[in-house]
Amino acid sequence: KNRKFIVALGMCFLAFISILNGGNMPIYSKQEIIADNLIEQVSKDLSLRYGLAPAGFGGSIHEYIEKISISFCAYDETSLEDSRKLVVKCAEQFIKEINSSKEISPYLVSDFGMNNVDLCIYYYQIDRDLVPYGNLDCTHLINGKIKYSVRESEYSSKRILEESFEDARRIAAEQGM
């Protein structure tokens, strides 16, 4: 009997706190909200600039923002060279927006850079079908490295190249980025 009373009292207390709070209990931290708003804006900018479709976002956000992730779909088959240039341009714009935001800067880990950005572009055919076997289907910047994968079978991809972001930037510049 006492246990039921304590449970009921606890539920009443939570309901009372919820009413005092306007019925809305905050579930996201201030830094998560700021990061989400920034990612949304960058996603829109990159989508318009490069014809990409936003596919997802996230990150590792606790007391400080340790990583910010964003992914896109591109509905156009591409070469490794063109994908390299696109990922370098997108990543540079992404990191520039992050580091120039006065609102987010107090929450970033020190030395926030390319190792803290996760950017992925998935490639499809113009009709939104999967790319043919052997074609580039994903370019992924993670932990300061860019990984390129081709479609190997109906359900799998195979990594064909991995390079540092700095090497990719240098190669893209040499190829007339």
Side-chain angles (χ1 to χ4, degrees):
K1 231 176 181 181
N2 284 341
R3 184 175 179 179
K4 287 182 183 178
F5 176 75
I6 292 171
V7 169
L9 186 62
M11 290 175 65
C12 288
F13 177 73
L14 288 175
F16 179 72
I17 294 296
S18 178
I19 290 168
L20 287 178
N21 200 20
N24 297 321
M25 297 288 279
I27 57 172
Y28 296 108
S29 66
K30 185 175 182 179
Q31 54 268 39
E32 287 174 304
I33 294 168
I34 293 168
D36 286 353
N37 290 338
L38 179 68
I39 292 169
E40 180 181 2
Q41 186 57 52
V42 171
S43 176
K44 286 178 184 176
D45 293 346
L46 294 176
S47 294
L48 291 171
R49 183 174 294 158
Y50 300 111
L52 302 170
F57 68 93
S60 179
I61 304 169
H62 304 288
E63 184 178 348
Y64 291 98
I65 298 170
E66 299 166 19
K67 185 174 284 281
I68 298 181
S69 306
I70 193 168
S71 59
F72 297 95
C73 293
Y75 297 103
D76 193 13
E77 295 177 53
T78 192
S79 67
L80 187 143
E81 292 77 16
D82 287 343
S83 183
R84 175 187 290 125
K85 292 174 189 175
L86 179 59
V87 167
V88 167
K89 288 176 190 175
C90 288
E92 287 179 335
Q93 183 65 32
F94 193 23
I95 202 79
K96 177 183 171 192
E97 294 295 328
I98 293 167
N99 286 327
S100 66
S101 169
K102 289 181 171 61
E103 193 175 22
I104 205 170
S105 64
Y107 303 106
L108 296 174
V109 293
S110 62
D111 298 327
F112 193 92
M114 285 302 166
N115 285 332
N116 305 94
V117 170
D118 183 349
L119 188 142
C120 191
I121 301 175
Y122 300 99
Y123 291 95
Y124 295 89
Q125 295 184 69
I126 292 172
D127 63 3
R128 298 180 184 244
D129 207 4
L130 296 173
V131 295
Y133 298 139
N135 284 31
L136 192 70
D137 69 348
C138 180
T139 303
H140 191 182
L141 166 64
I142 185 167
N143 298 326
K145 297 190 181 299
I146 301 178
K147 302 172 184 189
Y148 305 87
S149 300
V150 295
R151 183 166 179 228
E152 186 175 52
S153 70
E154 187 173 352
Y155 301 107
S156 66
S157 295
K158 176 182 175 184
R159 185 176 308 146
I160 58 167
L161 178 65
E162 180 177 318
E163 60 191 359
S164 71
F165 180 81
E166 293 306 319
D167 285 346
R169 179 191 285 157
R170 180 185 47 78
I171 294 167
E174 290 170 358
Q175 294 173 342
M177 185 173 77

PDB file of all heavy atoms in Angstrom, residues 13-26:
ATOM      1  N   PHE A  13       4.068  14.658  -8.444  1.00  0.00           N
ATOM      2  CA  PHE A  13       5.159  15.630  -8.378  1.00  0.00           C
ATOM      3  C   PHE A  13       5.698  15.936  -9.783  1.00  0.00           C
ATOM      4  O   PHE A  13       5.894  17.100 -10.143  1.00  0.00           O
ATOM      5  CB  PHE A  13       6.286  15.103  -7.472  1.00  0.00           C
ATOM      6  CG  PHE A  13       7.469  16.012  -7.403  1.00  0.00           C
ATOM      7  CD1 PHE A  13       7.409  17.208  -6.687  1.00  0.00           C
ATOM      8  CD2 PHE A  13       8.647  15.701  -8.067  1.00  0.00           C
ATOM      9  CE1 PHE A  13       8.498  18.054  -6.635  1.00  0.00           C
ATOM     10  CE2 PHE A  13       9.733  16.538  -8.022  1.00  0.00           C
ATOM     11  CZ  PHE A  13       9.667  17.720  -7.301  1.00  0.00           C
ATOM     12  N   LEU A  14       5.918  14.887 -10.589  1.00  0.00           N
ATOM     13  CA  LEU A  14       6.400  15.095 -11.963  1.00  0.00           C
ATOM     14  C   LEU A  14       5.390  15.883 -12.793  1.00  0.00           C
ATOM     15  O   LEU A  14       5.760  16.760 -13.577  1.00  0.00           O
ATOM     16  CB  LEU A  14       6.713  13.756 -12.624  1.00  0.00           C
ATOM     17  CG  LEU A  14       7.954  13.033 -12.122  1.00  0.00           C
ATOM     18  CD1 LEU A  14       8.082  11.665 -12.772  1.00  0.00           C
ATOM     19  CD2 LEU A  14       9.202  13.857 -12.376  1.00  0.00           C
ATOM     20  N   ALA A  15       4.093  15.579 -12.623  1.00  0.00           N
ATOM     21  CA  ALA A  15       3.056  16.316 -13.350  1.00  0.00           C
ATOM     22  C   ALA A  15       3.048  17.783 -12.932  1.00  0.00           C
ATOM     23  O   ALA A  15       2.924  18.677 -13.775  1.00  0.00           O
ATOM     24  CB  ALA A  15       1.693  15.678 -13.106  1.00  0.00           C
ATOM     25  N   PHE A  16       3.217  18.042 -11.651  1.00  0.00           N
ATOM     26  CA  PHE A  16       3.248  19.413 -11.142  1.00  0.00           C
ATOM     27  C   PHE A  16       4.446  20.172 -11.715  1.00  0.00           C
ATOM     28  O   PHE A  16       4.303  21.311 -12.180  1.00  0.00           O
ATOM     29  CB  PHE A  16       3.297  19.392  -9.606  1.00  0.00           C
ATOM     30  CG  PHE A  16       3.359  20.764  -8.998  1.00  0.00           C
ATOM     31  CD1 PHE A  16       2.246  21.596  -9.017  1.00  0.00           C
ATOM     32  CD2 PHE A  16       4.525  21.224  -8.412  1.00  0.00           C
ATOM     33  CE1 PHE A  16       2.305  22.863  -8.459  1.00  0.00           C
ATOM     34  CE2 PHE A  16       4.592  22.484  -7.858  1.00  0.00           C
ATOM     35  CZ  PHE A  16       3.478  23.317  -7.882  1.00  0.00           C
ATOM     36  N   ILE A  17       5.607  19.544 -11.706  1.00  0.00           N
ATOM     37  CA  ILE A  17       6.821  20.176 -12.264  1.00  0.00           C
ATOM     38  C   ILE A  17       6.619  20.448 -13.750  1.00  0.00           C
ATOM     39  O   ILE A  17       6.995  21.504 -14.265  1.00  0.00           O
ATOM     40  CB  ILE A  17       8.069  19.298 -12.032  1.00  0.00           C
ATOM     41  CG1 ILE A  17       8.383  19.186 -10.540  1.00  0.00           C
ATOM     42  CG2 ILE A  17       9.266  19.819 -12.804  1.00  0.00           C
ATOM     43  CD1 ILE A  17       8.754  20.499  -9.883  1.00  0.00           C
ATOM     44  N   SER A  18       6.002  19.518 -14.462  1.00  0.00           N
ATOM     45  CA  SER A  18       5.752  19.689 -15.886  1.00  0.00           C
ATOM     46  C   SER A  18       4.830  20.881 -16.136  1.00  0.00           C
ATOM     47  O   SER A  18       5.045  21.663 -17.053  1.00  0.00           O
ATOM     48  CB  SER A  18       5.137  18.414 -16.457  1.00  0.00           C
ATOM     49  OG  SER A  18       4.851  18.571 -17.817  1.00  0.00           O
ATOM     50  N   ILE A  19       3.803  21.037 -15.299  1.00  0.00           N
ATOM     51  CA  ILE A  19       2.872  22.169 -15.441  1.00  0.00           C
ATOM     52  C   ILE A  19       3.611  23.484 -15.190  1.00  0.00           C
ATOM     53  O   ILE A  19       3.436  24.455 -15.916  1.00  0.00           O
ATOM     54  CB  ILE A  19       1.670  22.006 -14.497  1.00  0.00           C
ATOM     55  CG1 ILE A  19       0.793  20.854 -14.979  1.00  0.00           C
ATOM     56  CG2 ILE A  19       0.861  23.292 -14.401  1.00  0.00           C
ATOM     57  CD1 ILE A  19      -0.259  20.407 -13.985  1.00  0.00           C
ATOM     58  N   LEU A  20       4.449  23.517 -14.157  1.00  0.00           N
ATOM     59  CA  LEU A  20       5.213  24.730 -13.863  1.00  0.00           C
ATOM     60  C   LEU A  20       6.145  25.099 -15.009  1.00  0.00           C
ATOM     61  O   LEU A  20       6.433  26.258 -15.245  1.00  0.00           O
ATOM     62  CB  LEU A  20       6.038  24.558 -12.576  1.00  0.00           C
ATOM     63  CG  LEU A  20       5.261  24.567 -11.265  1.00  0.00           C
ATOM     64  CD1 LEU A  20       6.228  24.329 -10.111  1.00  0.00           C
ATOM     65  CD2 LEU A  20       4.533  25.878 -11.082  1.00  0.00           C
ATOM     66  N   ASN A  21       6.614  24.097 -15.716  1.00  0.00           N
ATOM     67  CA  ASN A  21       7.555  24.311 -16.808  1.00  0.00           C
ATOM     68  C   ASN A  21       6.817  24.539 -18.127  1.00  0.00           C
ATOM     69  O   ASN A  21       7.402  24.450 -19.187  1.00  0.00           O
ATOM     70  CB  ASN A  21       8.495  23.098 -16.898  1.00  0.00           C
ATOM     71  CG  ASN A  21       9.763  23.403 -17.624  1.00  0.00           C
ATOM     72  OD1 ASN A  21      10.143  24.555 -17.758  1.00  0.00           O
ATOM     73  ND2 ASN A  21      10.423  22.366 -18.115  1.00  0.00           N
ATOM     74  N   GLY A  22       5.537  24.808 -18.063  1.00  0.00           N
ATOM     75  CA  GLY A  22       4.767  25.039 -19.282  1.00  0.00           C
ATOM     76  C   GLY A  22       4.476  23.755 -20.026  1.00  0.00           C
ATOM     77  O   GLY A  22       4.143  23.782 -21.195  1.00  0.00           O
ATOM     78  N   GLY A  23       4.647  22.619 -19.385  1.00  0.00           N
ATOM     79  CA  GLY A  23       4.396  21.338 -20.037  1.00  0.00           C
ATOM     80  C   GLY A  23       5.543  20.870 -20.895  1.00  0.00           C
ATOM     81  O   GLY A  23       5.494  19.809 -21.486  1.00  0.00           O
ATOM     82  N   ASN A  24       6.580  21.660 -21.008  1.00  0.00           N
ATOM     83  CA  ASN A  24       7.714  21.304 -21.857  1.00  0.00           C
ATOM     84  C   ASN A  24       8.960  21.076 -21.017  1.00  0.00           C
ATOM     85  O   ASN A  24       9.479  21.998 -20.424  1.00  0.00           O
ATOM     86  CB  ASN A  24       8.009  22.421 -22.875  1.00  0.00           C
ATOM     87  CG  ASN A  24       6.856  22.628 -23.819  1.00  0.00           C
ATOM     88  OD1 ASN A  24       6.229  21.676 -24.242  1.00  0.00           O
ATOM     89  ND2 ASN A  24       6.577  23.872 -24.134  1.00  0.00           N
ATOM     90  N   MET A  25       9.405  19.854 -20.988  1.00  0.00           N
ATOM     91  CA  MET A  25      10.655  19.540 -20.296  1.00  0.00           C
ATOM     92  C   MET A  25      11.765  19.609 -21.341  1.00  0.00           C
ATOM     93  O   MET A  25      11.661  18.961 -22.386  1.00  0.00           O
ATOM     94  CB  MET A  25      10.598  18.142 -19.679  1.00  0.00           C
ATOM     95  CG  MET A  25       9.531  17.977 -18.610  1.00  0.00           C
ATOM     96  SD  MET A  25       9.927  18.828 -17.108  1.00  0.00           S
ATOM     97  CE  MET A  25      11.036  17.662 -16.372  1.00  0.00           C
ATOM     98  N   PRO A  26      12.782  20.406 -21.127  1.00  0.00           N
ATOM     99  CA  PRO A  26      13.853  20.490 -22.126  1.00  0.00           C
ATOM    100  C   PRO A  26      14.588  19.152 -22.236  1.00  0.00           C
ATOM    101  O   PRO A  26      14.966  18.563 -21.228  1.00  0.00           O
ATOM    102  CB  PRO A  26      14.778  21.571 -21.574  1.00  0.00           C
ATOM    103  CG  PRO A  26      14.474  21.643 -20.121  1.00  0.00           C
ATOM    104  CD  PRO A  26      13.056  21.199 -19.946  1.00  0.00           C
TER     105      PRO A  26
END
